[in-house]
């Protein structure tokens, strides 16, 4: 009998511990419902905090900060609570279809039109202190904070949202949150002096090596600080992630022997002037400002230095994964060696200007996939092969009879 009671007690406590663990997990992942029907204004010193509260009254969201009296601000320190409610979210968020996008101080910004609002921002904000209670920061929250030099993001924040630090031209260093999972587009755009990333060693997804952001296992190169001029990718890296150099001021990149793959747009940085690849790298090589795969001649990246770009003879395949470095290409010469154009190789791969000119040197048209030809482009092909190119194009695209063509073929 005593054994049965003992077994019952053990089972009871096991069940209780599981219930508590599940409860804790649910609370940790609690989804907050915000009541936006009422707005509260709380004045603290010279700051007026415009706030929403959660439906249960436990949490607060500072969506805008105003000055009671307009003057220069050396720093901005956000409170941990508003009227006893824990501050969980900061920043302006508009879910409508309007273009009303603002930063934390209510300044209208338009990153999509290169407007960061810095011309109307208060002067002198060099430091922003965010309480550790914050778990979400809205996109563009610090857009145009042009005097901001250093900031630490609370560890519970998982996403750096769209254009969060766009135009923070004085930002030198940023401490990334321990639980960071995602970095959205244009977060560090126009941060010309940002030269240092750091993150807690307890981060489960990322680490920092030589101020560069890598995956935790150090095998993926994630992001370069926008203010660096030279980057030597660590020898542990095997993959360069998508948009790793986007919007950076990096001019020179060294790729080690260890790199075995490039994701789409991984090298698309407009300021890059030189890419060096270790001669010991068995998969990739550089020729005439182009990176290509040795085995099949797939074009990986191309640096646009002038008005006319000629692909090297080592290139045989064009895909939608090409990184175009520099400005959009106006004139492109494709040599006889190119045998295959894959889908969207010009729409999402090689970046062309509208109404670009493309020259084919081969008498025999390359293999084409649907969507592989650039719209609004003019293709110059050998005169004797003009009909072959047109026939190949029409067969691949399956254009209905009489439909207007936006791709023009001309013989030379």
């Amino acid at each position: 009998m005593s054994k049965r009671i003992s077994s019952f007690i053990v089972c009871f406590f096991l069940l209780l511990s599981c219930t508590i663990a599940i409860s804790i997990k649910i609370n940790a992942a609690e989804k907050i419902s915000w009541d936006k029907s009422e707005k509260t204004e709380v004045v603290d010193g010279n700051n007026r905090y415009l706030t929403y509260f959660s439906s249960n009254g436990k949490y607060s969201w500072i969506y805008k900060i105003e000055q009671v009296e307009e003057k220069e601000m050396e720093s901005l320190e956000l409170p941990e609570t508003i009227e006893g409610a824990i501050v969980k979210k900061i920043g302006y968020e508009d879910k409508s279809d309007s273009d009303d996008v603002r930063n934390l101080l209510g300044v209208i910004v338009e990153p999509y039109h290169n407007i960061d609002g810095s011309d109307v921002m208060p002067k002198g904000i060099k430091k922003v202190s965010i309480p550790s209670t914050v778990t979400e920061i809205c996109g563009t929250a610090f857009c145009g904070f042009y005097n901001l030099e250093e900031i630490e993001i609370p560890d519970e924040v998982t996403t750096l949202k769209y254009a969060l630090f766009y135009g923070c031209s004085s930002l030198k260093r940023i401490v990334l949150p321990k639980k960071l999972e995602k970095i959205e587009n244009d977060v560090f755009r126009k941060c010309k002096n940002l030269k240092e990333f750091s993150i807690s060693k307890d981060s489960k997804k990322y680490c920092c090596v030589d101020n560069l952001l890598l995956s935790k296992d150090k095998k993926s190169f994630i992001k370069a600080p926008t203010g660096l001029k030279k980057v030597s990718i660590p020898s542990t890296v095997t993959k360069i992630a998508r948009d790793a150099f986007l919007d950076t001021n990096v001019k020179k990149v060294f790729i080690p022997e260890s790199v075995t793959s490039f994701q789409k747009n991984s090298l698309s940085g407009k300021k890059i002037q030189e890419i060096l690849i270790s001669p010991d790298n068995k998969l990739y090589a550089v020729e005439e400002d182009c990176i290509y795969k040795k085995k099949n001649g797939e074009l990986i990246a191309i640096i646009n230095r002038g008005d006319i770009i000629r692909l090297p003879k080592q290139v045989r395949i064009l895909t939608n994964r090409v990184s175009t470095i520099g400005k959009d290409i106006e004139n492109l010469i494709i040599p006889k060696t190119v045998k295959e154009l894959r889908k969207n190789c010009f729409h999402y791969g090689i970046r062309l200007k509208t109404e670009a000119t493309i020259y084919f040197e081969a008498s025999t048209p390359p293999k084409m996939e649907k969507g592989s030809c650039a719209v609004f482009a003019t293709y110059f092909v050998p005169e004797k092969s003009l009909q072959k190119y047109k026939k190949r194009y029409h067969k691949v695209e399956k254009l209905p009879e009489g439909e207007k063509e936006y791709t023009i073929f001309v013989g030379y």
Side-chain angles (χ1 to χ4, degrees):
M1 185 72 175
S2 60
K3 288 184 178 179
R4 289 183 179 179
I5 295 174
S6 298
S7 297
F8 175 78
I9 293 173
V10 170
C11 291
F12 173 78
F13 279 107
L14 282 173
L15 181 61
L16 181 63
S17 63
C18 289
T19 303
I20 292 172
I22 292 170
S23 176
I24 291 171
K25 188 173 182 180
I26 291 173
N27 288 337
E30 180 183 4
K31 187 174 182 180
I32 301 173
S33 175
W34 297 103
D35 180 8
K36 298 176 71 174
S37 61
E38 293 187 15
K39 302 176 182 179
T40 301
E41 297 184 9
V42 176
V43 176
D44 183 5
N46 195 47
N47 293 331
R48 180 186 292 111
Y49 299 103
L50 281 70
T51 309
Y52 297 122
F53 292 95
S54 61
S55 301
N56 61 12
K58 290 182 180 179
Y59 308 113
S60 57
W61 164 8
I62 300 173
Y63 67 89
K64 184 180 178 182
I65 300 174
E66 297 177 341
Q67 288 185 291
V68 176
E69 180 184 344
E70 287 191 17
K71 60 182 180 180
E72 290 189 7
M73 303 171 66
E74 291 186 1
S75 62
L76 181 61
E77 184 172 353
L78 278 66
E80 290 189 358
T81 61
I82 295 288
E83 294 189 345
I86 299 170
V87 176
K88 281 284 187 178
K89 184 173 180 177
I90 61 174
Y92 183 86
E93 186 176 74
D94 179 31
K95 293 292 187 181
S96 69
D97 294 329
S98 72
D99 289 333
D100 187 10
V101 181
R102 300 170 186 264
N103 66 17
L104 187 57
L105 297 186
V107 175
I108 295 177
V109 296
E110 297 179 16
Y112 37 84
H113 292 145
N114 294 320
I115 298 173
D116 59 21
S118 58
D119 56 328
V120 293
M121 282 286 292
K123 295 180 180 179
I125 305 178
K126 294 183 178 181
K127 184 179 180 181
V128 174
S129 298
I130 307 171
S132 59
T133 56
V134 170
T135 59
E136 183 178 359
I137 303 176
C138 299
T140 70
F142 301 109
C143 186
F145 279 54
Y146 65 96
N147 272 331
L148 183 63
E149 294 181 355
E150 184 176 341
I151 190 167
E152 181 173 346
I153 306 299
D155 281 337
E156 296 297 317
V157 173
T158 59
T159 303
L160 300 186
K161 296 188 176 182
Y162 168 71
L164 181 57
F165 297 106
Y166 178 88
C168 293
S169 55
S170 298
L171 187 62
K172 298 175 181 178
R173 179 177 181 268
I174 184 167
V175 180
L176 300 169
K178 180 172 66 176
K179 294 188 178 180
L180 180 64
E181 290 287 332
K182 183 180 179 182
I183 300 175
E184 294 185 353
N185 294 335
D186 297 334
V187 169
F188 303 112
R189 189 177 173 192
K190 291 175 69 176
C191 295
K192 63 181 181 180
N193 286 303
L194 178 59
K195 296 180 180 179
E196 183 180 345
F197 286 143
S198 65
I199 195 167
S200 169
K201 292 181 180 179
D202 295 329
S203 170
K204 293 181 179 180
K205 187 164 184 176
Y206 299 115
C207 70
C208 289
V209 177
D210 297 332
N211 299 322
L212 308 172
L213 185 63
L214 308 182
S215 59
K216 186 66 175 180
D217 61 7
K218 301 181 182 179
K219 291 184 178 181
S220 293
F221 178 79
I222 306 299
K223 185 76 68 176
T226 46
L228 293 181
K229 295 296 195 301
K230 297 180 182 179
V231 169
S232 290
I233 295 174
S235 59
T236 58
V237 171
T238 59
K239 179 175 71 176
I240 301 179
R242 183 169 183 163
D243 299 334
F245 290 94
L246 194 65
D247 298 322
T248 69
N249 289 310
V250 175
K251 294 183 178 181
K252 189 173 183 178
V253 180
F254 176 76
I255 298 171
E257 159 188 11
S258 58
V259 172
T260 58
S261 68
F262 296 85
Q263 290 192 332
K264 186 176 180 180
N265 291 326
S266 58
L267 294 171
S268 294
K270 291 190 175 183
K271 300 289 184 69
I272 295 176
Q273 297 175 2
E274 184 178 11
I275 297 178
L276 302 174
I277 294 183
S278 168
D280 296 323
N281 190 298
K282 297 179 180 179
L283 298 179
Y284 302 100
V286 178
E287 188 70 33
E288 298 176 22
D289 288 334
C290 290
I291 297 177
Y292 66 94
K293 203 168 186 176
K294 293 179 182 179
K295 185 176 181 179
N296 63 358
E298 178 186 342
L299 182 64
I300 301 298
I302 180 171
I303 300 177
N304 182 13
R305 293 184 184 277
D307 296 329
I308 301 176
I309 300 296
R310 181 186 180 89
L311 298 180
K313 62 182 180 180
Q314 289 85 354
V315 174
R316 299 193 294 277
I317 300 173
L318 305 183
T319 75
N320 66 356
R321 299 172 64 84
V322 178
S323 293
T324 302
I325 301 165
K327 296 180 180 179
D328 295 356
I329 297 171
E330 187 172 0
N331 299 287
L332 180 67
I333 300 175
I334 299 179
K336 298 177 181 179
T337 54
V338 174
K339 302 297 182 184
E340 190 175 345
L341 305 183
R342 293 185 182 170
K343 186 176 181 179
N344 294 327
C345 62
F346 291 115
H347 294 285
Y348 301 112
I350 297 177
R351 210 171 56 239
L352 299 173
K353 283 187 176 181
T354 304
E355 300 182 351
T357 302
I358 302 173
Y359 298 84
F360 280 93
E361 294 185 332
S363 298
T364 302
K367 179 182 176 181
M368 299 178 183
E369 292 184 357
K370 183 176 176 62
S372 60
C373 288
V375 180
F376 301 115
T378 300
Y379 285 83
F380 283 87
V381 302
E383 182 68 44
K384 62 181 181 180
S385 302
L386 180 58
Q387 294 308 315
K388 289 182 181 179
Y389 273 89
K390 284 185 175 182
K391 186 175 180 180
R392 175 69 59 85
Y393 171 71
H394 282 218
K395 182 179 179 179
V396 169
E397 296 298 334
K398 297 179 181 179
L399 295 176
E401 191 69 30
E403 181 172 316
K404 186 177 180 180
E405 295 185 23
Y406 294 97
T407 302
I408 302 171
F409 287 88
V410 178
Y412 68 86

